[in-house]
Amino acid sequence: MQYQIIPVTPFQQNCTLFWCQKTKEAVVIDPGGDIELIQAAIKQCDVTLVKVLLTHAHIDHAGATQSVADFYNVPIEGPHQEDQFWIDLIPQQKSHFGFEHADSFSTDRWLNQGDKVSFGAIELDVYFCPGHTPGHVAFYHADSKLAQVGDVLFKGSIGRTDFPRGDHKTLVNSIRNNLFPLGDDVQFIPGHGPMSTFGAERSSNPHVSDSALGIK
């Protein structure tokens, strides 16, 4: 599997293109905006988009979902159903954050813990990771030891939990119990900022490291 990170929106959100080297089928994860940048990356990589995937429904991750799905005539998969209320709030999010182009949408498939998403010869495992939003999911490709975790975990930080229906304890549990067990050598693409590994965050992240939580 190959990937390319496409920073979009004024929030520089890490929209990500994953594709199968064998078939050139691709998915785009979290198309928050700047559809022209996403289109350019798809063309440059010479791939065929077959799905839109969503980790959660905050506008910087989901604002261009319907536009991308319509342009390429592809289905939308994710997030978990608990994020429906954030989808319903996209018009209000659009007004609050000053996004010019963002539309609400209907997903074609809600995702749950243990689900799989496939494209070409690639299969991604779905992990339900609430806390930042109640319906947040993460995607993991075991063969590449690569995860796309949205706004659950960052290099040196974790997702905010002060939004409606966010919960700090739930978020920490998602990271510690659902992501870290995948392995210290797993690289992850966060929703914003540089990549890291679960091992590095388990060792030094001031919010969820072993030492921060008093785990020996």
Side-chain angles (χ1 to χ4, degrees):
M1 188 182 77
Q2 297 290 306
Y3 70 93
Q4 180 173 323
I5 298 171
I6 312 160
V8 297
T9 83
F11 295 91
Q12 288 294 281
Q13 188 274 122
N14 288 332
C15 172
T16 310
L17 189 67
F18 280 0
W19 69 91
C20 170
Q21 293 170 274
K22 295 179 181 178
T23 66
K24 291 289 190 174
E25 287 190 355
V27 296
V28 64
I29 304 175
D30 289 0
D34 296 330
I35 187 173
E36 68 282 355
L37 297 180
I38 298 169
Q39 292 169 333
I42 291 169
K43 184 176 181 180
Q44 179 185 24
C45 295
D46 190 27
V47 296
T48 300
L49 192 73
V50 296
K51 292 177 182 178
V52 173
L53 305 182
L54 296 175
T55 63
H56 65 296
H58 282 163
I59 195 168
D60 56 324
H61 292 255
T65 296
Q66 193 62 57
S67 297
V68 172
D70 286 346
F71 186 86
Y72 291 100
N73 191 27
V74 297
I76 302 163
E77 299 191 6
H80 184 279
Q81 193 167 4
E82 287 295 320
D83 259 22
Q84 176 66 63
F85 89 102
W86 275 115
I87 297 174
D88 295 339
L89 286 172
I90 282 183
Q92 289 94 318
Q93 294 186 66
K94 177 180 177 179
S95 175
H96 181 75
F97 291 107
F99 277 58
E100 292 185 10
H101 305 290
D103 298 298
S104 191
F105 57 90
S106 296
T107 189
D108 294 285
R109 179 192 178 197
W110 297 113
L111 295 175
N112 297 285
Q113 177 83 12
D115 282 348
K116 296 183 183 297
V117 173
S118 61
F119 55 99
I122 302 297
E123 191 171 75
L124 304 179
D125 296 312
V126 176
Y127 289 85
F128 181 42
C129 296
H132 177 64
T133 70
H136 202 301
V137 299
F139 300 100
Y140 176 57
H141 185 237
D143 290 346
S144 302
K145 293 189 176 180
L146 177 69
Q148 221 293 4
V149 303
D151 284 355
V152 173
L153 180 67
F154 304 102
K155 182 176 182 179
S157 190
I158 61 174
R160 290 175 58 175
T161 55
D162 56 337
F163 293 116
R165 296 186 62 190
D167 185 82
H168 178 80
K169 183 178 179 180
T170 300
L171 181 64
V172 171
N173 286 339
S174 292
I175 295 166
R176 296 287 311 189
N177 298 328
N178 237 357
L179 297 183
F180 282 177
L182 293 174
D184 286 348
D185 57 345
V186 172
Q187 286 189 300
F188 69 89
I189 302 167
H192 308 263
M195 294 175 63
S196 183
T197 66
F198 291 151
E201 301 313 306
R202 186 201 296 270
S203 173
S204 63
N205 189 296
H207 304 279
V208 289
S209 66
D210 291 348
S211 58
L213 298 176
I215 300 171
K216 295 182 180 179

